[in-house]
Amino acid sequence: MKTLTLLRHAKSSWDDPVERDFDRPLNAKGERAAQLVGRHLRSLGLAFDHVVASPAARVGDTIDQLAIGYGRTFAPDWDRRLYLASPATLLDVIHGLPRDADRVLLIGHNPGLEELVLLLVPDDARDTLRAEAAAKYPTATVAEIRFDGDWPAVSAATGTLTRFIRPRDLDPALGPDQA
């Protein structure tokens, strides 16, 4: 069984004058959310044997803050294809994951991550986690999907969404319109 954990980068700042979207850092709320999510992942006993991430500044900042909460550093494979990737591109990345990696953490951006969840998980009206992901995939949110086959076999409607964790689920102060 393979487990893919998708993490959308934490909330970024629009206040810092940067030339490119790629260079936007996290804001204070994003830093708090990433640390909290890291603590929560640790409390669940989740571990990852492979990490792949977009090289955008806000993703790097998310990883740094996640590591503070988690209590250990992450050494991601930086993959430029993940920057604002479509679900098709994300699927290409997944197909190329190391065969010996059973628990992968992929850190990137929306709308690609949300669309990927909706592609990989069958549309079942009874699946409340999928319905939550379809409604909104906020920043610093984690979606965990399990697959029976190997990475190259991952395709539409082959996964099971086992977790969907938003920062506001862990601390309501990190919900919408909160400082």
Side-chain angles (χ1 to χ4, degrees):
M1 177 164 296
K2 300 291 187 182
T3 303
L4 177 65
T5 302
L6 303 172
L7 172 62
R8 182 178 175 197
H9 66 78
K11 192 156 191 65
S12 60
S13 174
W14 290 94
D15 295 335
D16 292 332
V18 293
E19 288 185 33
R20 304 178 309 161
D21 173 75
F22 188 87
D23 298 322
R24 282 190 297 119
L26 294 186
N27 66 17
K29 180 180 176 180
E31 290 175 354
R32 287 192 316 271
Q35 287 182 26
L36 179 63
V37 168
R39 284 192 299 277
H40 188 69
L41 295 178
R42 182 185 66 218
S43 77
L44 294 172
L46 299 184
F48 309 100
D49 45 29
H50 187 74
V51 179
V52 61
S54 161
R58 58 192 177 273
V59 173
D61 292 348
T62 297
I63 292 169
D64 292 344
Q65 298 303 315
L66 185 76
I68 290 169
Y70 192 82
R72 69 165 274 242
T73 59
F74 296 93
D77 283 345
W78 302 103
D79 191 328
R80 188 148 179 93
R81 294 177 296 169
L82 295 181
Y83 178 65
L84 305 179
S86 69
T89 300
L90 293 169
L91 201 51
D92 285 344
V93 171
I94 292 165
H95 289 158
L97 290 171
R99 286 186 171 262
D100 62 344
D102 292 322
R103 297 194 55 84
V104 172
L105 175 61
L106 187 150
I107 308 166
H109 310 266
N110 248 9
L113 290 181
E114 178 180 337
E115 292 170 356
L116 181 66
V117 170
L118 300 179
L119 172 72
L120 297 178
V121 178
D123 189 1
D124 179 346
R126 297 166 296 169
D127 188 344
T128 57
L129 291 179
R130 188 183 188 284
E132 288 177 19
K136 184 165 171 93
Y137 197 119
T139 53
T141 292
V142 172
E144 181 185 81
I145 307 171
R146 294 201 176 145
F147 302 93
D148 286 330
D150 211 349
W151 299 119
V154 171
S155 62
T158 60
T160 301
L161 186 60
T162 54
R163 299 179 205 272
F164 188 73
I165 305 163
R166 299 166 297 201
R168 71 175 179 231
D169 299 331
L170 306 174
D171 179 354
L174 293 171
D177 302 318
Q178 304 295 318

